[in-house]
Amino acid sequence: MSPNLENTEPEVDLFYVMKKIGDFFDYLGELTVRFIQFILRNIFIFIGLIVVGIILGYLLDSNKKDEYRHEIILSPNFDSSSYLYEKVASQQDKLDSIIVGIEVEPIIDVFGLLSSGSNNLEKGEFLSENNINISTHEPGNQTEIIYKLHKLTIKTDRRDTDGEIVSNYLNKLNQQPYFLKRQEIEQAHIINEIEEKRASIKNINNMFQKMGAADTVAKSDFNIEMYPELNGLIESKNYLLTNIEQLQISQVEKSKVFYDIARVQNIKDNTLSYMIIIPLVLILIYLLLVFFLGKYKKISARIS
């Protein structure tokens, strides 16, 4: 008897599962038919709700102003990152009729942060040891000051066709006296550094000329034993040229307190029309009312 039971049990289980699946689809089909019948019985109510919703949606859409985003990648200089974030936060309640919103967030570049110098590497180790995540940004944790680039988003209620709205805001942002004074000092320092490195390159070139002029070498006290240092001189010159290039880039970026590296303007925020939202909301409210009224009638009949 037991072998026969073992053979028939899997067949019974499979038959039971298939029956349950069939019952589920039958129930789903019955619900669909009932819902269609419900719509057909109340078709004029649904049409009325849709018409009213479209009219209300049209009125709301006609009063709704288009909103445009302008995204600017900024490089804050002279330790001005904290000032930028405080300035944006303090202006949230003081926006004019054109600018309707301002946001700022760091552009997180962990590799660039840690590879840009030994000091930044030490900062990264310190933050990691203190459980401060440098790969994500949480507003208010003040880690934004360690990043070089930041995205400033300005929202307006109209197109900034000629870029004047964004430019005026950035010009006002760049007029803080303390940072302007620091800009003057650091720009002068960069110019001096470039001149010194160019002077060093000039001296190296003079040494190359002495090495290349055999008659000059023979008649002077220039030691021929310095020729093995030729590779070192070439490396030094290349290093100085690279430094000058970096200083010139820094000179460009520090021509403003907040240097705008790139802008993407007039990004229109496409929001769903109220002519779609309102009819759907009205229909949903109607369906919920019908459902709860039906439940109420059943419970009342059961109690009575």
Side-chain angles (χ1 to χ4, degrees), residues 127-259:
L127 294 171
S128 179
E129 290 171 358
N130 288 273
N131 297 320
I132 299 175
N133 192 351
I134 61 174
S135 62
T136 58
H137 172 252
E138 296 180 4
N141 65 3
Q142 296 183 336
T143 56
E144 58 267 2
I145 62 174
I146 66 176
Y147 297 101
K148 176 180 174 61
L149 301 179
H150 302 258
K151 184 175 76 172
L152 178 69
T153 302
I154 299 175
K155 298 179 181 180
T156 61
D157 63 359
R158 67 191 68 173
R159 289 180 62 86
D160 188 12
T161 307
D162 54 2
E164 186 178 354
I165 298 172
V166 172
S167 295
N168 287 341
Y169 181 83
L170 293 177
N171 289 338
K172 291 178 182 178
L173 200 62
N174 280 310
Q175 295 306 312
Q176 218 284 335
Y178 168 75
F179 296 120
L180 290 176
K181 189 63 179 177
R182 282 195 57 173
Q183 178 191 31
E184 183 181 343
I185 295 170
E186 292 195 29
Q187 286 283 38
H189 179 70
I190 291 174
I191 292 172
N192 290 335
E193 273 197 273
I194 292 174
E195 290 178 353
E196 289 176 1
K197 293 184 186 303
R198 282 176 175 166
S200 297
I201 290 174
K202 186 176 180 180
N203 291 335
I204 292 174
N205 289 336
N206 290 336
M207 296 179 71
F208 286 152
Q209 289 178 357
K210 290 181 180 180
M211 289 178 183
D215 55 338
T216 304
V217 173
K219 296 178 182 178
S220 68
D221 57 354
F222 186 78
N223 194 342
I224 198 67
E225 292 179 359
M226 290 188 65
Y227 273 91
E229 301 296 329
L230 183 61
N231 287 335
L233 290 173
I234 293 174
E235 289 178 3
S236 296
K237 180 178 178 179
N238 290 335
Y239 177 75
L240 290 169
L241 288 171
T242 301
N243 276 354
I244 289 175
E245 181 181 355
Q246 292 171 346
L247 288 168
Q248 289 173 331
I249 293 172
S250 178
Q251 192 176 29
V252 172
E253 292 180 350
K254 291 184 177 181
S255 62
K256 300 177 183 178
V257 177
F258 299 99
Y259 186 79

Side-chain angles (χ1 to χ4, degrees), residues 3-133:
N4 291 334
L5 289 174
E6 289 177 0
N7 291 333
T8 57
E9 281 179 0
E11 294 178 3
V12 172
D13 290 343
L14 180 61
F15 176 76
Y16 177 78
V17 171
M18 295 298 294
K19 184 177 182 304
K20 286 295 182 183
I21 293 175
D23 291 343
F24 170 75
F25 281 106
D26 288 341
Y27 176 72
L28 192 63
E30 184 180 346
L31 282 180
T32 303
V33 171
R34 286 185 176 182
F35 183 71
I36 293 173
Q37 290 176 344
F38 171 77
I39 292 176
L40 293 175
R41 286 197 305 269
N42 301 278
I43 187 66
F44 294 109
I45 295 177
F46 281 100
I47 292 174
L49 292 173
I50 291 172
V51 171
V52 171
I54 290 175
I55 293 172
L56 292 175
Y58 174 78
L59 294 174
L60 290 173
D61 281 342
S62 61
N63 292 323
K64 182 178 67 175
K65 292 184 177 180
D66 291 331
E67 192 170 286
Y68 296 88
R69 287 183 293 115
H70 316 278
E71 297 179 352
I72 307 101
I73 297 177
L74 290 181
S75 175
N77 298 302
F78 323 117
D79 299 323
S80 59
S81 296
S82 296
Y83 169 79
L84 173 64
Y85 280 78
E86 291 174 5
K87 184 74 172 177
V88 169
S90 65
Q91 287 182 323
Q92 294 303 322
D93 299 328
K94 302 176 182 177
L95 301 174
D96 56 32
S97 59
I98 301 176
I99 298 178
V100 296
I102 304 175
E103 298 172 0
V104 62
E105 60 180 344
I107 297 176
I108 297 174
D109 180 11
V110 176
F111 177 77
L113 173 67
L114 300 182
S115 63
S116 60
S118 59
N119 290 336
N120 284 334
L121 184 59
E122 292 171 3
K123 289 178 185 178
E125 291 176 353
F126 172 79
L127 294 171
S128 179
E129 290 171 358
N130 288 273
N131 297 320
I132 299 175
N133 192 351

